[in-house]
Amino acid sequence: MALFNRLLLALDLSSHSEALVERVAEVCREDVDNLHVIHVIKQGMHDGALVNAESCDDSHAQRQKDHTHIQVREMLLRHGLRVSSDKIYLLRGEPAYEIKKLAREIGADLVIVGSHNKDDDLFHLPGATTNCVIQGMPSDVMAVKV
């Protein structure tokens, strides 16, 4: 992976994320200093008012963010990836938008996303979020089948 200077790994913390982190660990273990990790806490109509990531005053939102941070760190550590806290981003919003936005902000030259297909998909097309990340991304995108 020495071809890339800044990697961004997008995790959704589904059951498929373990397989994604395992595959990334196999390839990127030597480049862990170049690895950034993002998890987007989805916000939808059911969440009520949208909460800005910078203004998490709400104690429930802060507890959710803290719990998610622990989950991400533990998953990375289980696979031998020691990523510093300043390179783990927990954001709120629409996943594809936030992934693309952060990739531009940090200057990622490779974005790594998991692609889990529906069992009945005859064409094995990438999922909606993966497809949206790929579209219009200025950097390279690696969609890892999980």
Side-chain angles (χ1 to χ4, degrees):
M1 278 296 168
L3 297 171
F4 300 102
N5 296 317
R6 192 158 292 136
L7 312 170
L8 178 60
L9 169 62
L11 296 176
D12 65 2
L13 295 181
S14 70
S15 59
H16 302 286
S17 291
E18 288 286 343
L20 176 60
V21 173
E22 182 177 334
R23 304 248 332 253
V24 168
E26 291 170 6
V27 176
C28 300
R29 193 172 315 277
E30 303 303 317
D31 293 319
V32 75
D33 292 338
N34 300 332
L35 183 64
H36 296 253
V37 179
I38 182 174
H39 171 73
V40 181
I41 300 168
K42 293 182 187 177
Q43 293 222 240
M45 305 252 316
H46 63 279
D47 293 329
L50 291 176
V51 178
N52 185 344
E54 289 84 30
S55 63
C56 272
D57 312 342
D58 181 11
S59 62
H60 173 71
Q62 188 59 49
R63 275 194 311 275
Q64 181 185 26
K65 190 173 181 181
D66 293 343
H67 178 71
T68 303
H69 184 78
I70 291 167
Q71 284 181 289
V72 170
R73 300 264 316 150
E74 287 176 348
M75 183 179 295
L76 294 169
L77 288 172
R78 273 194 299 275
H79 298 281
L81 294 173
R82 298 193 184 282
V83 178
S84 64
S85 290
D86 64 326
K87 293 183 179 179
I88 297 175
Y89 304 86
L90 300 177
L91 305 174
R92 293 183 177 278
E94 196 281 314
Y97 173 80
E98 296 298 335
I99 292 165
K100 290 163 87 167
K101 181 178 167 193
L102 181 63
R104 283 195 233 21
E105 287 174 6
I106 67 170
D109 32 22
L110 178 65
V111 177
I112 306 165
V113 293
S115 181
H116 34 97
N117 310 28
K118 293 186 173 57
D119 292 332
D120 60 351
D121 183 6
L122 297 174
F123 299 107
H124 302 289
L125 297 172
T129 301
T130 301
N131 193 35
C132 288
V133 169
I134 292 170
Q135 301 301 317
M137 178 62 82
S139 63
D140 290 331
V141 178
M142 180 188 296
V144 179
K145 188 174 180 180
V146 289

